[in-house]
Amino acid sequence: MIENIDKRVRAEQFRQRLNRALSDSGLSQSALARAVGVDRSTVSQLLTDQGARLPNAHVVGACAGALGVSADWLLSLSDRPESAAELLASSLSLTEAPRALVDERIFDWHQEAEGYKIRHVPAALPDMLKTRALLEWEYSPHLGRTADQAIGASEDRLTWMRQSPSDYEIALPLYELDSFAHGVGYYEGLPLEVRLEQLAQFERLCEQLYPRLRIYLFDAKRLYSSPITIFGPLLCVFYAGTHYLAFRDKERIATFTSHFDNLVREAGITARQLPGRLRALRAAISSGSTEH
């Protein structure tokens, strides 16, 4: 909410902030006048006049642009001197997402958020719960000769994540787990023994790490979510395939936290029910059943 300020007070604050911005910029009054497109005497008057009048919007905007601050800050409508572009850049970042396991950027974010609740909607099955056999099947075709080294390094990071003091909530579409179990879609060609071993590991870790790790299955026919990770109150990160889109402003983090919490509320399979679902899938594929 914008505070009502007496026009004389606002005019005085404008002069103070304009003087501060000019001093910080290193520009002379003459240079500012040229950048704004006014006479030097006009700039001098803006900096020293004791009246209650403010310059017109064009002059305020031109001064803000020349000095690298926001017009709202000059007019005491904001306490942040940064320009809108700078504020956006500080709250949003776009970084490359290499085709790897837990890359340096993701691992840094997990370490930064250590101790906070981390909410995660993975693009496929969550990497931190995968067996080595599944990691090799999934990543060796891409990583080639470096697969063993990359998987070994990633296993260390995955182990750290499992042992960190953070709480993890994972929301996964029902179809993702079913597709994996039955070896269809993305998982076509995945050997049965790898799928059975992976389901057993899921079950074991879900029981060992509960309640610090909670996995929920939601119905994607009713609800949809892009791959996203919310690192406590610090940031939320979307995975777009080749890039990560990260937000740090509180409003967006709160919005997507609410989105994630809705996935959990509407989950068809809760964290407590998941081990039973995993046992049923193992039994179904072991017997050759096609029922989900």
Side-chain angles (χ1 to χ4, degrees):
M1 183 175 179
I2 298 173
E3 180 184 358
N4 288 322
I5 303 176
D6 180 87
K7 61 182 181 179
R8 288 186 176 274
V9 174
R10 192 183 298 279
E12 175 60 25
Q13 289 181 343
F14 172 81
R15 287 190 292 274
Q16 291 175 358
R17 293 187 174 190
L18 185 62
N19 273 285
R20 172 182 159 186
L22 181 61
S23 176
D24 290 344
S25 73
L27 293 177
S28 66
Q29 291 188 23
S30 297
L32 178 60
R34 288 193 297 273
V36 175
V38 297
D39 294 334
R40 185 184 181 283
S41 60
T42 300
V43 169
S44 179
Q45 185 177 16
L46 292 175
L47 293 167
T48 60
D49 185 32
Q50 298 301 307
R53 294 184 60 184
L54 289 167
N56 63 44
H58 169 75
V59 172
V60 173
C63 285
L67 298 174
V69 296
S70 74
D72 282 352
W73 179 73
L74 286 177
L75 294 172
S76 298
L77 298 175
S78 169
D79 292 328
R80 300 289 298 271
E82 300 96 332
S83 66
E86 290 172 328
L87 288 172
L88 181 61
S90 67
S91 66
L92 183 151
S93 62
L94 188 67
T95 57
E96 287 191 22
R99 183 71 172 100
L101 295 171
V102 186
D103 63 64
E104 290 289 347
R105 178 70 275 184
I106 283 286
F107 192 52
D108 287 345
W109 285 328
H110 278 276
Q111 290 182 306
E112 179 185 352
E114 184 176 4
Y116 288 111
K117 179 189 287 188
I118 295 175
R119 300 165 170 90
H120 181 42
V121 180
L125 296 183
D127 281 340
M128 66 183 293
L129 303 181
K130 289 176 180 176
T131 64
R132 186 176 183 89
L134 179 55
L135 293 173
E136 290 175 346
W137 177 85
E138 188 171 6
Y139 287 97
S140 290
H142 168 71
L143 297 175
R145 294 180 179 178
T146 63
D148 283 344
Q149 181 180 359
I151 290 172
S154 294
E155 283 180 326
D156 293 339
R157 295 171 184 172
L158 297 174
T159 298
W160 181 91
M161 289 162 62
R162 291 174 191 154
Q163 297 174 350
S164 79
S166 297
D167 280 358
Y168 283 86
E169 281 191 339
I170 298 174
L172 193 66
L174 277 161
Y175 74 80
E176 188 70 37
L177 189 59
D178 286 355
S179 296
F180 168 79
H182 294 276
V184 297
Y186 177 82
Y187 304 101
E188 185 176 357
L190 182 60
L192 174 62
E193 60 271 19
V194 175
R195 288 180 273 139
L196 288 170
E197 179 191 15
Q198 181 63 75
L199 291 172
Q201 172 150 305
F202 273 157
E203 181 184 346
R204 182 171 63 256
L205 291 175
C206 287
E207 291 177 334
Q208 287 177 352
L209 300 179
Y210 183 87
R212 195 171 60 79
L213 170 68
R214 300 181 295 280
I215 301 179
Y216 302 84
L217 304 182
F218 64 90
D219 185 356
K221 293 178 181 176
R222 297 180 56 248
L223 300 166
Y224 172 76
S225 179
S226 299
I228 184 174
T229 305
I230 305 164
F231 295 90
L234 304 179
L235 75 159
C236 60
V237 179
F238 282 90
Y239 175 61
T242 58
H243 289 80
Y244 300 118
L245 183 63
F247 296 96
R248 286 190 177 272
D249 58 297
K250 293 181 180 179
E251 289 187 6
R252 285 188 176 87
I253 294 172
T255 295
F256 294 117
T257 297
S258 178
H259 159 73
F260 182 93
D261 290 345
N262 188 49
L263 296 177
V264 170
R265 283 194 301 271
E266 298 295 326
I269 303 293
T270 67
R272 287 184 177 275
Q273 296 169 330
L274 183 60
R277 176 76 172 200
L278 292 166
R279 286 191 291 272
L281 285 170
R282 286 171 60 202
I285 63 175
S286 293
S287 64
S289 171
T290 58
E291 295 181 3
H292 289 219

